[in-house]
Amino acid sequence: MKLLISILFTVFALFGSSALRAQERKIIQYSGIVTTVGSGLPVGYVTVTNLSFRNEAFAANNEGYFSFVAHVGDTIRFTSVGFDPLVVTIPEVSGDKYTANIIMQNLVTELPMVTPYPWASIEEFNIAFMNLDVSEDNIVRVRRSLSYESLAAMAAVIPRDGNEMRSINNAQSFNTMNNKVINQRYANPLLNPFAWGSLIQQITKGSQSRKSSNY
C-alpha cells in the first residue's frame, strides 16, 4: 500500500512539474513566410506541425504565409511535396510576437535511366531480327532512297517547309509582274490609249468603205 502511494505521488509530481513548466513557457504569436532557396518564391500550402505541443498541425496559405500561437522553445516542422522537410526551434524573444523567414530546399529526385525499344517483348524483337534483310549494302539502299520514284512519293506526302513556300511565293510574284508587262491580258484595254486609237481607226475605215460602196 505504501508502494502504491509512493508511485501515485511520483506520477502526480511529474505531471505537476510538466504542467508547471508548460505554464512557465512564454506564449507568442508565431508567424512567417515560407520561400524557396535561391529564387525566393513563396511555397504555398506548407504543412506546419508543432512537435512540442500535441503535434498540432497548421497550413500556410497560397502565398506561404502562416500564423499560430506557440511557446518559446517549441520545435516546429515544415513539410511540403517536392521540398526537404525543415525543423526549426522558436527562439527566445522579448515581445509576444515573432516573425520567421523560413527557406525550404527543393527536393530533386533523379529517376533511373530508361531506354525505350520499338518492340513490346523479346519475342517480337526476335521475330524482327530474324526477318531483317541484310542482303543489300548501304550504297544500294541510299540509291534506292534517292531514286526518282522514291523522291516523287515523298514529295507527294511530305509538306513543304517555310523556306520552300517563301521561295515559291516569290517566284509566283515575279512571274505575275512580268506577265502584266508582257502579256496584255493582264492589262485593262479601256485604259490603253493605243487601243482606243486603233478602235477609232477601224470605225473610220468601216464608215469610208460603206460610203464608197453606196456610190
Side-chain angles (χ1 to χ4, degrees):
M1 186 66 180
K2 292 181 179 180
L3 180 60
L4 180 59
I5 294 174
S6 300
I7 294 174
L8 292 176
F9 179 77
T10 304
V11 171
F12 285 134
L14 292 176
F15 275 107
S17 61
S18 62
L20 183 60
R21 287 195 301 269
Q23 293 178 358
E24 290 177 352
R25 288 194 303 167
K26 187 177 181 180
I27 298 176
I28 63 172
Q29 185 72 26
Y30 186 60
S31 307
I33 296 177
V34 185
T35 57
T36 59
V37 175
S39 63
L41 297 176
V43 182
Y45 308 106
V46 178
T47 301
V48 186
T49 306
N50 190 346
L51 301 179
S52 301
F53 191 72
R54 297 180 297 183
N55 288 332
E56 284 188 343
F58 306 91
N61 61 6
N62 60 334
E63 297 180 353
Y65 176 78
F66 64 91
S67 181
F68 58 93
V69 177
H71 300 87
V72 173
D74 285 351
T75 302
I76 310 299
R77 182 179 64 190
F78 298 87
T79 56
S80 180
V81 178
F83 294 88
D84 286 330
L86 180 64
V87 178
V88 299
T89 302
I90 301 177
E92 187 72 30
V93 293
S94 58
D96 58 352
K97 296 180 181 179
Y98 179 73
T99 302
N101 185 17
I102 307 300
I103 301 177
M104 300 187 68
Q105 178 67 43
N106 298 79
L107 182 61
V108 179
T109 302
E110 294 184 0
L111 299 177
M113 183 181 65
V114 177
T115 304
Y117 294 99
W119 304 282
S121 62
I122 189 64
E123 289 78 10
E124 292 186 3
F125 169 75
N126 294 333
I127 294 174
F129 182 78
M130 296 302 296
N131 294 330
L132 185 64
D133 187 8
V134 294
S135 59
E136 298 179 353
D137 57 2
N138 295 331
I139 298 178
V140 175
R141 286 194 292 269
V142 169
R143 288 177 178 174
R144 186 175 65 250
S145 300
L146 296 178
S147 63
Y148 175 79
E149 293 78 8
S150 178
L151 295 177
M154 288 188 294
V157 296
I158 297 177
R160 295 185 175 91
D161 57 359
N163 293 329
E164 188 176 2
M165 292 299 299
R166 183 178 62 180
S167 300
I168 294 175
N169 291 334
N170 292 337
Q172 290 179 351
S173 300
F174 180 77
N175 293 333
T176 302
M177 293 176 62
N178 289 337
N179 290 334
K180 285 184 178 180
V181 178
I182 298 173
N183 192 351
Q184 296 299 324
R185 291 179 301 172
Y186 288 90
N188 190 355
L190 298 177
L191 302 178
N192 190 353
F194 298 100
W196 281 103
S198 176
L199 178 63
I200 294 173
Q201 290 180 0
Q202 293 177 3
I203 295 174
T204 304
K205 291 181 180 179
S207 299
Q208 292 177 356
S209 62
R210 286 196 295 272
K211 288 181 181 180
S212 60
S213 62
N214 292 332
Y215 293 111

